[in-house]
Amino acid sequence: GRTIAYREYAQLADTFDIALQVQEDNHAAALQNWLMHINYLGKRGSFMQIQDVPHIMERIDDGYIRIGEPIDDFPLDSIMTQLDDTDAELTFEKANIYSGKRITLGKDRLLHHVVLPYRLVSSSRGYSHYELVSS
């Protein structure tokens, strides 16, 4: 049958960091090991490569985008988008696409508004070019 196919590609020419908060120290060590096995973020088919062993820090600096905190002040030429997340109580059975269990938006599946510090530089029918907004 005829259908419409839409593909979107993104390329980041530099490295980026991700910081995760854990409640207990013994969870941090397990998470540190699990992170070494991640090779994509977002949709299936994406690819990323870890370039250093994850390390544990007492606190993170202000350069990170904090998810779930109020959005107060940001550059007007930034990009506002939504981050798709899950509730802490989500079970593997509901996350498993083959189980037949449904995930409910607002209960099992949560949306967080985030502001990405990038601005559109140029675009055409085939691409969009963004650059980091200077703070």
Side-chain angles (χ1 to χ4, degrees):
R2 296 171 63 99
T3 186
I4 296 172
Y6 177 75
R7 299 262 189 255
E8 185 175 79
Y9 299 94
Q11 176 185 355
L12 179 65
D14 205 349
T15 60
F16 67 95
D17 296 333
I18 297 175
L20 304 169
Q21 181 179 4
V22 295
Q23 300 300 322
E24 299 178 29
D25 288 339
N26 60 338
H27 292 161
L31 182 62
Q32 190 176 20
N33 183 42
W34 293 335
L35 288 172
M36 293 299 295
H37 301 285
I38 295 175
N39 58 15
Y40 74 86
L41 294 174
K43 304 233 181 244
R44 211 173 346 170
S46 66
F47 173 74
M48 61 152 223
Q49 184 174 8
I50 292 180
Q51 295 193 342
D52 198 0
V53 176
H55 55 277
I56 298 170
M57 300 166 45
E58 288 299 316
R59 47 180 242 105
I60 61 171
D61 62 34
D62 292 333
Y64 287 86
I65 298 170
R66 297 176 187 272
I67 308 303
E69 292 187 3
I71 301 172
D72 296 327
D73 187 29
F74 57 91
L76 293 178
D77 56 352
S78 298
I79 300 169
M80 182 175 278
T81 188
Q82 291 180 337
L83 175 69
D84 202 340
D85 197 4
T86 60
D87 181 70
E89 303 299 317
L90 181 73
T91 63
F92 178 77
E93 186 177 20
K94 281 191 171 186
N96 180 359
I97 61 171
Y98 302 108
S99 72
K101 299 281 185 178
R102 295 184 54 93
I103 294 179
T104 307
L105 183 61
K107 182 179 179 207
D108 305 309
R109 183 175 163 219
L110 308 173
L111 299 177
H112 301 284
H113 290 91
V114 295
V115 175
L116 302 176
Y118 288 87
R119 70 176 185 88
L120 183 63
V121 175
S122 61
S123 67
S124 74
R125 191 186 80 183
Y127 80 97
S128 296
H129 175 210
Y130 296 90
E131 73 179 5
L132 186 64
V133 173
S134 302
S135 42

